[in-house]
Amino acid sequence: MTQFIATDSSEQDAANQRNLRRLVLSAQASWHKLNLLIAICDNPQFRDQLIRTYEAELIPKGIACYQVQLNHQQPSLKQSLLDWRAQTPEWNSSTPTLVTVRGGDELLGVRLQQTKSAQERFFFSVQWTREGLREFQFPIVLWVTEAVAQGLAQQAADFWSWRGGVFEFDQPLSWQQLTPSLERERQPELTSQPEPLANPAELEQQIAALQAEDPDSPLLDSLYQSLGETYDQRLEQGVAIDRPQETAKAIAAFQSAIARRESLTDPTPLATSLNNLAALYESQGRYSEAEPLFVRSLSIREQQLGADHPDVATSLNNLAGLYDSQGRYELAEPLYHQALQLTRSLLGEQHPDVASSLNNLALLYANQGRFTEAEPLLVQALAMCQQLLGTQHPDTVGTQQSLENVRQMMGH
């Protein structure tokens, strides 16, 4: 049986969390004085999530957070700040303030019937108006892409030298997918080395430090989530030193993430944590504890994301898999059918996740002795895996073995 699991962090996510923490601390250390903070991110959606995260931490502390958009036609940082100040009469200069400048990551580097590109005009502007920024006595977070950051360092070196810090954020793999996709299997790849895991001790130290400094920080739920996933991945990859102890730590971390995410305005991250803890319980045979978590995760995703969303298909697969493991086939089958139909409508007929859904349904039939119904589904899944993933991919090898087992039971 194939199982899907949500992952929203890794070693990469731990590095992002550290950089986000550095950015917040840099801002906090510079209220009422100019501090240019350069934030680098190539993914607009991930950038927006990061902005929401640090604003959610600072606003309850009485920090006035504002966002300024660069004018792409006349991309002047100083002019954009002047326009913002003129349009924000309620702003009080005595209030600790953080201004986030967006649009620097959207400047075109090509010339469109103009003597200079938008990027070149921006570099020229910040280079020669740097002194004019002194009147803005607050930290400024300027979001740019890696390419724009390199251009600033090379073409606006004087401005670049003023920076109070550079913070790079690499979007997680889940943000890099070009098409929607079901969350991938927990089973590690057999043909490649596992991805490096985050250091749980470092995450625990970050949590302890942040708990002491700001026990209500919204960053804590993500750190607990990262810690739970790290221990869970160590268990999956067989590198846990003390499995009972690390299992208990994974459960405790997910429970802490869930407790904190219960109060989020957007409960979508809560669904991920519920799903992770449920999958961990299921792997231990703790089915009665896993079921309500899978059910709630599915309900949240349907309500928040709509019925036609890849994460909903994931939750359908996970809940069906739990019922399958318990022999509750009459409950599992309609969920597998629903997940297969949804996956096909979202991703098309030829996609690895469609093959996984076919495989799940086929194995359900096989578990009930319905081999003549299982065989054609496995044939479809195998052909798809061979074409899309190659003959040596673990999904292909597993599907091939399942087909051989079914045919053996049929006497072929």
Side-chain angles (χ1 to χ4, degrees), residues 160-387:
W160 183 257
S161 67
W162 266 35
R163 70 194 186 282
V166 177
F167 311 89
E168 295 187 57
F169 299 96
D170 292 325
Q171 61 266 36
L173 293 178
S174 59
W175 290 86
Q176 297 175 12
Q177 296 172 352
L178 298 179
T179 58
S181 174
L182 289 176
E183 295 152 24
R184 299 308 303 154
E185 299 177 27
R186 298 181 56 172
Q187 168 185 335
E189 295 287 340
L190 302 180
T191 56
S192 62
Q193 294 296 318
E195 292 184 5
L197 299 180
N199 185 330
E202 289 184 2
L203 288 171
E204 287 168 345
Q205 290 173 1
Q206 290 182 51
I207 289 172
L210 189 53
Q211 281 275 24
E213 177 192 337
D214 183 6
D216 296 322
S217 171
L219 293 177
L220 280 168
D221 72 274
S222 295
L223 286 172
Y224 276 118
Q225 177 71 19
S226 298
L227 181 61
E229 289 176 359
T230 297
Y231 277 123
D232 194 20
Q233 290 163 6
R234 286 170 60 85
L235 295 167
E236 285 297 316
Q237 296 183 11
V239 298
I241 298 174
D242 185 332
R243 289 190 64 86
Q245 182 185 60
E246 296 199 22
T247 299
K249 287 186 174 182
I251 290 173
F254 284 138
Q255 288 174 336
S256 294
I258 289 169
R260 289 180 171 275
R261 290 180 168 183
E262 289 282 5
S263 60
L264 294 179
T265 304
D266 177 9
T268 308
L270 173 61
T272 296
S273 298
L274 291 167
N275 184 77
N276 288 141
L277 182 57
L280 187 54
Y281 281 153
E282 183 184 6
S283 69
Q284 298 179 287
R286 298 165 64 175
Y287 301 132
S288 62
E289 295 170 88
E291 182 178 358
L293 302 182
F294 274 141
V295 169
R296 189 178 177 204
S297 178
L298 172 61
S299 176
I300 290 173
R301 286 173 167 173
E302 287 178 331
Q303 292 174 8
Q304 296 297 313
L305 306 175
D308 297 328
H309 192 279
D311 288 355
V312 172
T314 296
S315 285
L316 289 167
N317 264 303
N318 285 348
L319 183 57
L322 176 69
Y323 291 147
D324 194 355
S325 298
Q326 295 175 285
R328 300 163 71 183
Y329 304 129
E330 73 286 355
L331 297 178
E333 184 171 348
L335 296 179
Y336 275 146
H337 276 292
Q338 189 178 347
L340 175 59
Q341 181 179 1
L342 178 55
T343 305
R344 278 175 162 160
S345 67
L346 290 170
L347 306 177
E349 289 293 331
Q350 295 294 314
H351 193 280
D353 290 337
V354 174
S356 292
S357 288
L358 288 167
N359 183 72
N360 287 344
L361 184 58
L363 294 184
L364 175 73
Y365 289 153
N367 289 337
Q368 299 175 79
R370 298 161 63 182
F371 302 118
T372 56
E373 294 172 83
E375 182 186 23
L377 299 184
L378 288 171
V379 170
Q380 291 180 55
L382 178 60
M384 205 175 298
C385 286
Q386 289 173 335
Q387 178 181 352

